[in-house]
Amino acid sequence: MSHSIAVVGTGYVGLTTGACLSSIGHRVTCVDIDVTKVSSLLKGQIPIYEDGLADLVADGLACGQLDFTTDLVAACESAEFVFLCLPTPAGADGMADLSAIHEVVLQLRGHLRAGSVIVNKSTVPVNSARMVAELVNDPAVSVVSNPEFLREGSAVRDFLNPDRIVVGSDDPVAGERVASLYLGIRCPIVVTDPVSAESIKYFANAFLATKISFVNEAARFCDAAGANVLEVMRGLSFDPRIGGSFLNPGPGWGGSCFPKDTQALLTLAGRIESPLPIVEQAVSSNRQHIDQVVRLITDTTREVGAQKLCILGLTFKAGTDDVRDSPAMQIIEQLEGITPELTCYDPLARTSIPTFATRVGNLNEALDAADVVAILTEWSEFSAIQPDLLLDRMRGRVVIDGRYLLDPTRFIPYGIEIRSIGRQVPK
Ligand code: UDX
């Protein structure tokens, strides 16, 4: 059954949510305060790179199931469901800053129709659904927590083929109504109370961040012990209790969610005096790992007397143009004053880089005359690098492979050394 839905906020979560809900048959109006963004969206131009999203938006606009506006009240007063997909950045105290949610809910107070449901999709501290219910102060309006688990780069796929849907509500009827919006999407639905739903979101991200910190710690250990971290992870991956995914070592975790959400969870844990030492250590271990990547780069450039370093990849992972809390960007910042000439290349990153570095527009130019290359994002363009290309373009013969993309044994016959933390290379 088709329902009328307003989605407030057109960031990557809001836009994906709106476009996907319209694609499964609902009538959706997305709201944003940014006039320029809304006028671009009305023309089908989307401001972020997200696989499949532009097509869904175009389809939704063409069939009239999807609309965009800056008029918050007009979009929400007739809606059966109002999804809040607003930014919740880290505030000065480390907690999520809920001012955008406060402001929107206050503007909506008194304008929502009886029986409507506010659905909280933004990642918010536990108890936020109850806080929103108090703010809206209308017994005829329910508030339900429905956290998202969308990965950037595969957000549309994740929305339409989720591992689970979580619905948290004190009002079972409102909870059921929100769950029924996803009819047609086959996956387990966890219906629970709002505080548990909000906690699920934080602990899912904290667990995944911890998993990557653990893998990267294993890489550092393998480096010192003489083991191969990829072999170790392959050996772990067949144990279903560990699971084979999310076991790739890298240059550290980043992105719009893990750093912000682990910080918010730790601050909250401090406030309620229930410390989370494992999560604290996962955050600190990630910092140590980024430092170790910086050390590997600087030790290598010193060792070979490099005059030019090339960094490949700026985004926090492949498949997105997002550099928020990207390890690559943090590594570049730490190289200020200690790097030789630095050239960077990324096929998609939406960012400027510090003035001591130069960003170039293609891979060949980035590699030109480089003494050392460091790969920090797993773009397929970098996995496809062939020995010939490096021989043609580079001056030096060492590649630091922070994403374990290149098979060192293929490069040895060409005199090219591929270095990674925790991967021993036969000489
Ligand atoms: C994450 C969660 O996966 C998603 O469910 C949540 O809603 C938002 O946060 P995202 O930030 O898009 O999604 O990135 P994700 O794919 O989870 O990767 C996070 C970080 O871990 C990246 O820096 C990535 O490079 C790193 N990572 C991930 C690894 O280093 N190795 C891996 O095996 C997986």
Side-chain angles (χ1 to χ4, degrees):
M1 194 181 153
S2 174
H3 293 279
S4 60
I5 296 174
V7 175
V8 186
T10 59
Y12 100 97
V13 171
L15 196 52
T16 306
T17 300
C20 289
L21 285 171
S22 81
S23 80
I24 58 173
H26 302 298
R27 302 177 307 283
V28 180
T29 303
C30 295
V31 190
D32 205 289
I33 46 171
D34 184 335
V35 184
T36 321
K37 195 171 177 188
V38 167
S39 63
S40 302
L41 286 167
L42 281 167
K43 289 182 224 141
Q45 293 159 3
I46 71 165
I48 49 167
Y49 176 82
E50 189 59 59
D51 195 23
L53 189 53
D55 289 344
L56 276 194
V57 169
D59 292 350
L61 285 168
C63 68
Q65 290 283 104
L66 181 62
D67 196 9
F68 296 96
T69 181
T70 51
D71 192 337
L72 175 71
V73 171
C76 297
E77 64 189 355
S78 57
E80 295 164 76
F81 299 89
V82 175
F83 278 71
L84 300 181
C85 301
L86 292 157
T88 52
D93 58 358
M95 290 285 283
D97 174 355
L98 301 185
S99 50
I101 292 184
H102 267 257
E103 202 158 306
V104 162
V105 173
L106 287 180
Q107 283 182 54
L108 291 177
R109 187 149 75 178
H111 293 286
L112 297 178
R113 66 191 245 189
S116 61
V117 182
I118 295 179
V119 186
N120 226 339
K121 266 230 173 283
S122 320
T123 302
V124 287
V126 293
N127 258 323
S128 297
R130 287 176 188 159
M131 177 274 288
V132 169
E134 275 166 29
L135 268 185
V136 80
N137 192 26
D138 182 345
V141 175
S142 308
V143 181
V144 170
S145 166
N146 175 215
E148 51 82 19
F149 302 95
L150 308 175
R151 287 165 300 174
E152 292 189 30
S154 56
V156 169
R157 272 196 307 284
D158 288 349
F159 192 99
L160 297 173
N161 308 286
D163 299 318
R164 78 310 213 174
I165 289 168
V166 173
V167 176
S169 178
D170 287 325
D171 168 355
V173 176
E176 283 305 320
R177 284 176 59 208
V178 171
S180 75
L181 292 175
Y182 296 95
L183 272 183
I185 292 182
R186 292 166 66 92
C187 73
I189 298 197
V190 180
V191 179
T192 181
D193 63 277
V195 178
S196 300
E198 289 155 348
S199 303
I200 289 169
K201 172 67 200 239
Y202 275 118
F203 280 94
N205 274 351
F207 190 92
L208 292 169
T210 304
K211 196 172 183 187
I212 303 304
S213 283
F214 186 87
V215 172
N216 288 337
E217 267 188 19
R220 303 203 291 280
F221 173 89
C222 289
D223 213 59
N228 183 334
V229 64
L230 298 185
E231 294 298 303
V232 173
M233 290 307 138
R234 195 164 67 88
L236 262 59
S237 69
F238 298 105
D239 185 334
R241 293 169 302 173
I242 296 173
S245 61
F246 239 71
L247 278 185
N248 301 318
W253 46 262
S256 63
C257 288
F258 284 5
K260 167 174 81 77
D261 292 351
T262 47
Q263 191 49 57
L265 179 62
L266 286 172
T267 308
L268 181 64
R271 285 210 183 156
I272 60 176
E273 294 179 12
S274 181
L276 298 169
I278 293 179
V279 183
E280 271 169 33
Q281 286 305 316
V283 172
S284 139
S285 175
N286 193 48
R287 269 190 234 111
Q288 290 171 41
H289 195 69
I290 291 174
D291 290 348
Q292 178 128 346
V293 178
V294 172
R295 261 196 308 279
L296 176 59
I297 293 175
T298 50
D299 286 352
T300 305
T301 53
R302 263 187 225 116
E303 179 193 316
V304 305
Q307 289 164 30
K308 185 177 169 190
L309 167 68
C310 158
I311 285 193
L312 299 181
L314 299 171
T315 54
F316 77 97
K317 63 173 187 178
T320 176
D321 54 4
D322 198 343
V323 298
R324 279 177 286 176
D325 276 313
S326 166
M329 299 300 283
Q330 294 171 50
I331 288 163
I332 290 172
E333 275 160 28
Q334 288 198 41
L335 289 172
E336 178 158 22
I338 50 172
T339 177
E341 182 190 337
L342 173 58
T343 303
C344 310
Y345 166 66
D346 187 288
L348 223 52
R350 213 169 0 115
T351 186
S352 55
I353 55 165
T355 47
F356 69 89
T358 310
R359 182 168 175 189
V360 295
N362 64 67
L363 176 60
N364 285 355
E365 204 182 328
L367 294 173
D368 271 341
D371 297 297
V372 174
V373 171
I375 302 175
L376 300 179
T377 309
E378 72 280 25
W379 290 109
S380 53
E381 193 180 356
F382 306 153
S383 334
I385 288 177
Q386 298 299 320
D388 283 351
L389 179 70
L390 299 180
L391 289 182
D392 284 354
R393 296 280 173 177
M394 284 181 73
R395 181 164 52 205
R397 294 287 175 263
V398 187
V399 175
I400 294 165
D401 185 357
R403 292 283 183 172
Y404 308 78
L405 304 179
L406 307 179
D407 174 2
T409 54
R410 279 199 57 225
F411 288 78
I412 289 172
Y414 299 85
I416 299 168
E417 191 188 339
I418 310 290
R419 292 185 185 175
S420 301
I421 295 173
R423 181 167 60 169
Q424 317 303 317
V425 179
K427 297 277 177 201

